[in-house]
């Protein structure tokens, strides 16, 4: 949470059909500029993982906007596997990238 954005992980879920498993999160763009949001260097239980929001699949948010979605973790097959997550949230504003480390047990 800072002057630009607030990111909040609110839980984990399995969505069917498709059986996507991931974390439920919300992001608020608190600035008056468009932002791009993505994640990198994600590990689950010490294993590197791909997600639905990486550097190639950035989410953009208009100024003063809130959005909630699932951060799908690829190659995870059950909610029990979804633990000990570490990584970096990246928020890009006008070609400046702010990085925020996170850890979820």
């Amino acid at each position: 949470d800072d002057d630009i954005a607030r990111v909040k992980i609110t839980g984990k879920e399995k969505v069917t059909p498709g059986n996507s498993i991931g974390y439920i999160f919300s992001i608020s763009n608190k600035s008056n500029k468009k932002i791009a949001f993505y994640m990198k260097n994600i590990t689950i239980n010490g294993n590197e993982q791909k997600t639905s929001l990486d550097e190639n699949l950035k989410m953009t948010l208009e100024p003063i906007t809130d959005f909630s979605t699932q951060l799908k973790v690829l190659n995870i097959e059950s909610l029990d596997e979804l633990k000990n997550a570490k990584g970096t949230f990246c928020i890009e504003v006008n070609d400046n990238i702010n990085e925020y480390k996170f850890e979820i047990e």
Side-chain angles (χ1 to χ4, degrees):
D1 189 9
D2 63 14
D3 292 341
I4 299 168
R6 174 183 295 142
V7 178
K8 190 174 181 182
I9 302 283
T10 57
K12 53 187 181 178
E13 70 178 354
K14 180 176 183 176
V15 176
T16 52
N19 293 328
S20 69
I21 296 172
Y23 291 100
I24 306 162
F25 79 97
S26 63
I27 181 168
S28 300
N29 180 355
K30 301 184 330 185
S31 75
N32 61 0
K33 298 175 180 165
K34 186 186 282 191
I35 65 172
F37 171 79
Y38 62 94
M39 301 175 86
K40 67 179 187 177
N41 304 325
I42 306 298
T43 61
I44 305 289
N45 283 325
N47 298 311
E48 194 170 319
Q49 296 290 330
K50 296 233 182 255
T51 70
S52 57
L53 278 175
D54 63 18
E55 293 176 78
N56 299 316
L57 297 169
K58 297 176 186 176
M59 173 194 306
T60 58
L61 261 73
E62 295 297 324
I64 316 299
T65 304
D66 298 324
F67 187 73
S68 294
T69 191
Q70 181 195 55
L71 171 68
K72 182 178 178 182
V73 180
L74 311 176
N75 304 318
I76 294 288
E77 296 181 11
S78 75
L79 285 175
D80 292 338
E81 294 177 60
L82 200 57
K83 56 189 173 188
N84 301 320
K86 294 180 183 178
T88 305
F89 291 111
C90 300
I91 298 178
E92 189 176 319
V93 184
N94 295 337
D95 297 326
N96 293 319
I97 299 171
N98 299 314
E99 295 186 351
Y100 308 90
K101 302 266 186 221
F102 73 90
E103 197 167 323
I104 305 167
E105 292 184 13

